[in-house]
Amino acid sequence: MNYTFLHPHFFYLLLVLIPMIGWYIWKQKDLNASLQISSLRGFSRIRKSRKTYLRHVPFGLRCLTVILLTIALARPQSTDSLRNVTTEGIDIMVSLDISGSMLAMDFKPNRLEAAKDVATEFISGRPNDKMGLVVFAAESFTQCPLTVDHTVLTNLIRDVQTGMLQDGTAIGLGLSTAVSRIKDSDAKSKVIILLTDGVNNRGEIHPLTAAEIAKSFGIRVYTIGVGSHGTAPFPVTTVFGQQVQNMEVKIDEGMLQEIANTTGGQYFRATDKEKLRGIYQEIDKMEKTKIEVKEYSKRSEEFIPFALLALALLIMEILLRNTVLRNLP
């Protein structure tokens, strides 16, 4: 249950308390008489009247009355809300190349870290979809099956590093593993995003064979080739320690294009991190989840208790002034 105010501008009326309090303090100074005497010793045994302690109570009640009346005028309301969300789900598997060449530094800080960062942003922008992650090098495995727990998925993406698998680039295995994880989904749309920076050189399954399998299950594959044109700086371990050398960038764009065409997807080439981010944004626009939202809200007026309490305090002030404070010595 939420609480709101229909007329919050009435709270400006509380500013009237400032001159009220100032006037009361100034008036109290005028009520105190002064007398010059040589010693206070004769007054030490005089007991203070109860009226001395109670004389400020009516003013306190008046201030509280003003506050409560202001709240009542602002019209506090309680709101009960009901929100139904119906989604036509899209299941998405990301198949990520983690071969050694993904350490190339034409992306900052390197291709793999850039790919992880952009994938994490993409996942956070699709809270209603089930998503998962497959990683591959010379072999492939499922890092995270399809899940709606995007926090777990994001943490597992951050844990991905090169060296987790034997080095190599088995694009066919990476794609077929993703297909096996998403093919039985009952989602309206099934999508695989395949990201690699190389040429298929390992694995028992040819990438185009995996593409045909994906097509048979109605799975669209978006392929992304990652790497700058020409050469790219790459860390190499030598007898003199780790050094950076420029290595030729080799991406089988023709095959990636054919995989996308076979499955009804699209091929993209990312030459830096910003272009990679733009590619994910374009895929996000093409694969939008349909969401139907139904909202119901009920508002209840809550000003009456504040108004009644203000009236009660006002009556207490009047009674106190005309009974207790008047009759006390």
Side-chain angles (χ1 to χ4, degrees):
M1 184 177 293
N2 299 317
Y3 289 91
T4 58
F5 292 92
L6 185 62
H7 304 301
H9 53 274
F10 274 106
F11 282 113
Y12 286 113
L13 291 175
L14 293 177
L15 294 174
V16 77
L17 291 173
I18 297 175
M20 281 179 58
I21 295 172
W23 172 260
Y24 184 77
I25 294 173
W26 182 77
K27 187 178 179 181
Q28 291 301 308
K29 291 181 180 179
D30 291 345
L31 294 177
N32 294 326
S34 61
L35 177 67
Q36 292 184 351
I37 57 176
S38 59
S39 173
L40 295 174
R41 184 177 302 172
F43 298 93
S44 60
R45 295 183 181 179
I46 297 177
R47 296 179 61 188
K48 291 184 179 181
S49 168
R50 282 180 289 175
K51 188 174 182 178
T52 304
Y53 297 105
L54 294 175
R55 65 191 179 95
H56 299 298
V57 173
F59 180 74
L61 293 174
R62 188 180 306 172
C63 289
L64 287 174
T65 301
V66 171
I67 293 172
L68 291 170
L69 283 176
T70 301
I71 295 174
L73 289 171
R75 292 279 297 277
Q77 297 176 331
S78 60
T79 305
D80 291 321
S81 298
L82 178 64
R83 188 171 186 263
N84 293 326
V85 178
T86 303
T87 64
E88 183 180 304
I90 296 177
D91 287 355
I92 302 174
M93 287 296 298
V94 176
S95 185
L96 179 63
D97 187 346
I98 62 168
S99 59
S101 59
M102 289 291 287
L103 293 176
M105 296 181 290
D106 47 352
F107 288 56
K108 300 300 180 185
N110 58 51
R111 293 173 184 171
L112 180 59
E113 292 302 318
K116 288 161 56 177
D117 289 344
V118 176
T120 300
E121 294 171 8
F122 177 74
I123 291 165
S124 65
R126 303 185 67 95
N128 299 302
D129 297 325
K130 287 193 293 183
M131 304 185 75
L133 175 66
V134 167
V135 295
F136 67 92
E139 306 166 289
S140 68
F141 73 88
T142 304
Q143 177 78 350
C144 181
L146 287 171
T147 180
V148 292
D149 191 340
H150 291 180
T151 301
V152 170
L153 176 57
T154 298
N155 290 333
L156 288 171
I157 288 176
R158 292 196 181 105
D159 291 339
V160 170
Q161 300 293 334
T162 58
M164 295 172 64
L165 297 169
Q166 184 180 353
D167 202 17
T169 306
I171 296 174
L173 280 179
L175 179 53
S176 61
T177 301
V179 169
S180 68
R181 283 297 184 177
I182 201 173
K183 65 182 179 64
D184 295 325
S185 167
D186 56 1
K188 298 290 184 180
S189 183
K190 293 175 279 191
V191 172
I192 293 174
I193 299 174
L194 174 69
L195 186 147
T196 183
D197 69 341
V199 177
N200 187 74
N201 55 26
R202 300 293 294 270
E204 301 82 12
I205 301 177
H206 194 276
L208 296 181
T209 302
E212 290 292 342
I213 297 172
K215 179 183 178 182
S216 67
F217 287 105
I219 302 169
R220 277 188 304 282
V221 181
Y222 293 96
T223 54
I224 304 175
V226 177
S228 57
H229 295 286
T231 61
F234 184 81
V236 177
T237 302
T238 68
V239 293
F240 302 104
Q242 192 173 77
Q243 297 183 345
V244 176
Q245 299 180 2
N246 285 325
M247 307 284 286
E248 184 181 0
V249 178
K250 295 181 179 180
I251 301 175
D252 193 343
E253 293 190 277
M255 185 189 65
L256 295 176
Q257 180 75 63
E258 194 168 350
I259 291 172
N261 291 342
T262 300
T263 61
Q266 192 169 333
Y267 168 69
F268 302 91
R269 176 68 182 268
T271 54
D272 56 44
K273 187 174 181 179
E274 284 307 312
K275 286 187 177 179
L276 180 60
R277 181 176 285 114
I279 289 168
Y280 269 99
Q281 290 172 352
E282 189 170 344
I283 295 173
D284 182 57
K285 291 176 183 177
M286 290 188 290
E287 297 290 345
K288 274 296 181 186
T289 304
K290 296 180 182 178
I291 303 175
E292 181 183 347
V293 179
K294 296 179 181 178
E295 290 188 347
Y296 165 79
S297 62
K298 179 182 178 182
R299 295 179 182 272
S300 300
E301 297 289 349
E302 303 290 345
F303 71 91
I304 294 178
F306 294 98
L308 291 177
L309 186 55
L311 178 62
L313 292 179
L314 181 62
I315 293 172
M316 285 176 61
E317 179 193 351
I318 294 172
L319 292 175
L320 193 60
R321 285 185 184 279
N322 292 282
T323 56
V324 178
L325 293 180
R326 173 176 290 181
N327 297 329
L328 281 175

